Amino acid sequence: MGITSFFFILLVQLCNGKSLPKFSAILIFGDSTVDTGNNNYISTIFQGNHRPYGENFPGRIPTGRFSDGKLVPDFLASMLGLKEYVPPFLQPYLSKHDLLTGVSFASAGSGFDDLTAAASKVIPMSQQIKYFERYIEKLQGIVGEEKAQKIVSGALVIISAGTNDFIFNFYDIPTRRSQFNITGYQDLLLIQLQNFVEDLYNLGCRKMLVAGLPPVGCLPIQITAKSPLLRKCIEEENFDAQTYNAKLTRLLKQVQAALSGSKVLYSDTYHPFMQMIKHPKKYGFVKTRRGCCGSGTYEAGPFCNKQRPVCKNASKYLFWDSIHPGESAYRYLSNMAMKKLLRHKLSHNKTH
């Protein structure tokens, strides 16, 4: 466990008088915000396995994480005392310990709409479920069926996706706009999300944390496309994100009520992001509308490469590239998620 994680846990415990939640493992599904390197092992341009990605990761290694360092799954796994980093499921030669304590099935560029993944040739959410089934088989091979079931039911499941659906299929590439208005498309995605949660439940998952949308209109790439001179957040897109999040919050309560023995919580990313954007100095940021990589206005994935200069201090930038937050922002979001876990007692009563 890292020193930062240890002191955060100590602080939370002293302040709240609550014990650290215990989970058997951590299981991750979604997009680039939680992909710890699965895209390294598929044929797609959506990869972060080259410099300057990983600039502040231990050893300065580009791991496939779309950030200068760690992602939320890594911070949470460390805070929960499971391990320091969450490996991607597609990584060859995973150790028994890694399998027992959890992996990420997420894929950068993915979304709840399978069309989103098809456009970027990445792993759709439907395939992530199939990989999870394979994971369960591997677990059963290591510890037997009964223990494998306990690990799955006691795991913290994190689902983080949706942004790519709106960017790739509605706003910037209007594939779905000919079929749906914004309300209809939000509802389509929420049906897909509900089906996804139910699939996970049917495979044994019981403790789930589902992230809402960030302020999509404040992503540097969206600002570049629609407000290149003034560089203002796109209010309409932010309003759509808030509307979607309100619907998602209501839906998750209904889903939890319908799935016996489940805890399905909403994790707010919108308001923490807006706090960092509106009060940057409070969080140690100087730049919030440009990424650290290159000009910070359009570079991401293959365009954020070693030919592009990077800023001198990534921790001063909210965003690492034009789409993805940097490690400093992910650390703050992880702390928020951890507080949510403590507040709602979303934990497993036995250690693995």
Side-chain angles (χ1 to χ4, degrees):
M1 186 181 291
I3 291 173
T4 308
S5 307
F6 173 78
F7 282 116
F8 171 72
I9 290 166
L10 193 64
L11 180 66
V12 168
Q13 289 177 336
L14 288 170
C15 293
N16 296 296
K18 295 176 182 177
S19 61
L20 183 67
K22 291 185 177 68
F23 296 97
S24 52
I26 188 165
L27 301 168
I28 313 292
F29 301 87
D31 59 21
S32 57
T33 55
V34 288
D35 177 3
T36 57
N38 283 306
N39 278 19
N40 295 353
Y41 305 102
I42 62 172
S43 181
T44 176
I45 62 162
F46 284 75
Q47 292 181 331
N49 58 353
H50 54 269
R51 294 195 168 192
Y53 287 102
E55 189 87 349
N56 292 306
F57 198 82
R60 300 187 73 190
I61 304 164
T63 60
R65 288 166 174 80
F66 280 78
S67 176
D68 59 309
K70 297 180 188 176
L71 305 181
V72 169
D74 302 309
F75 283 119
L76 286 180
S78 179
M79 288 174 185
L80 294 166
L82 290 167
K83 52 186 163 190
E84 283 300 304
Y85 317 109
V86 179
F89 176 66
L90 295 185
Q91 181 181 309
Y93 313 115
L94 286 170
S95 69
K96 285 184 181 179
H97 177 264
D98 271 332
L99 288 165
L100 292 172
T101 51
V103 294
S104 173
F105 302 90
S107 177
S110 195
F112 293 111
D113 184 347
D114 274 3
L115 256 188
T116 304
S120 47
K121 295 184 178 171
V122 298
I123 306 163
M125 301 294 276
S126 53
Q127 179 61 40
Q128 291 181 32
I129 286 281
K130 288 176 185 166
Y131 282 143
F132 181 48
E133 289 171 347
R134 274 179 33 195
Y135 167 81
I136 293 172
E137 287 172 12
K138 285 176 184 275
L139 272 192
Q140 290 171 345
I142 298 169
V143 295
E145 205 168 318
E146 192 180 336
K147 184 74 189 294
Q149 185 56 45
K150 282 184 178 174
I151 290 170
V152 171
S153 66
L156 171 61
V157 177
I158 294 174
I159 304 166
S160 177
T163 303
N164 293 328
D165 295 307
F166 288 100
I167 291 176
F168 293 160
N169 274 329
F170 201 85
Y171 296 138
D172 299 0
I173 306 168
T175 318
R176 288 296 197 185
R177 222 184 299 163
S178 59
Q179 300 166 278
F180 301 97
N181 60 14
I182 186 65
T183 303
Y185 192 51
Q186 288 172 342
D187 294 345
L188 172 78
L189 294 180
L190 290 166
I191 289 166
Q192 302 289 13
L193 188 155
Q194 181 176 349
N195 292 340
F196 189 80
V197 168
E198 288 171 356
D199 285 345
L200 289 176
Y201 178 86
N202 292 333
L203 287 167
C205 299
R206 292 294 179 269
K207 321 287 184 188
M208 305 185 218
L209 197 61
V210 183
L213 293 178
V216 178
C218 291
L219 300 182
I221 199 162
Q222 294 306 93
I223 292 174
T224 300
K226 287 146 197 173
S227 178
L229 297 177
L230 294 175
R231 296 210 66 78
K232 285 187 173 180
C233 294
I234 314 308
E235 292 306 325
E236 184 186 346
E237 292 181 8
N238 283 352
F239 177 78
D240 292 343
Q242 288 179 285
T243 310
Y244 172 90
N245 289 342
K247 290 180 182 180
L248 175 60
T249 308
R250 290 194 296 272
L251 174 68
L252 294 180
K253 286 176 183 170
Q254 293 165 13
V255 169
Q256 178 177 291
L259 301 178
S260 175
S262 72
K263 275 269 193 177
V264 187
L265 299 181
Y266 169 73
S267 181
D268 178 21
T269 57
Y270 188 95
H271 291 100
F273 251 109
M274 286 309 290
Q275 285 300 305
M276 290 187 274
I277 289 166
K278 287 178 178 175
H279 310 287
K281 286 181 184 173
K282 183 179 172 184
Y283 301 95
F285 296 119
V286 174
K287 299 281 186 183
T288 61
R289 285 174 170 78
R290 294 175 187 271
C292 170
C293 185
S295 67
T297 58
Y298 72 90
E299 293 92 344
F303 301 108
C304 173
N305 54 51
K306 58 186 178 186
Q307 276 74 49
R308 306 284 175 189
V310 291
C311 66
K312 284 181 181 173
N313 188 349
S315 68
K316 299 290 181 189
Y317 282 66
L318 174 59
F319 291 95
W320 164 249
D321 61 19
S322 65
I323 301 172
H324 305 100
E327 183 182 81
S328 297
Y330 279 133
R331 182 182 286 108
Y332 175 63
L333 293 172
S334 302
N335 290 348
M336 292 295 99
M338 191 69 181
K339 285 176 183 174
K340 181 103 181 178
L341 296 179
L342 286 160
R343 197 162 59 244
H344 289 269
K345 298 185 174 73
L346 184 70
S347 63
H348 185 47
N349 54 14
K350 291 179 183 176
T351 54
H352 58 280

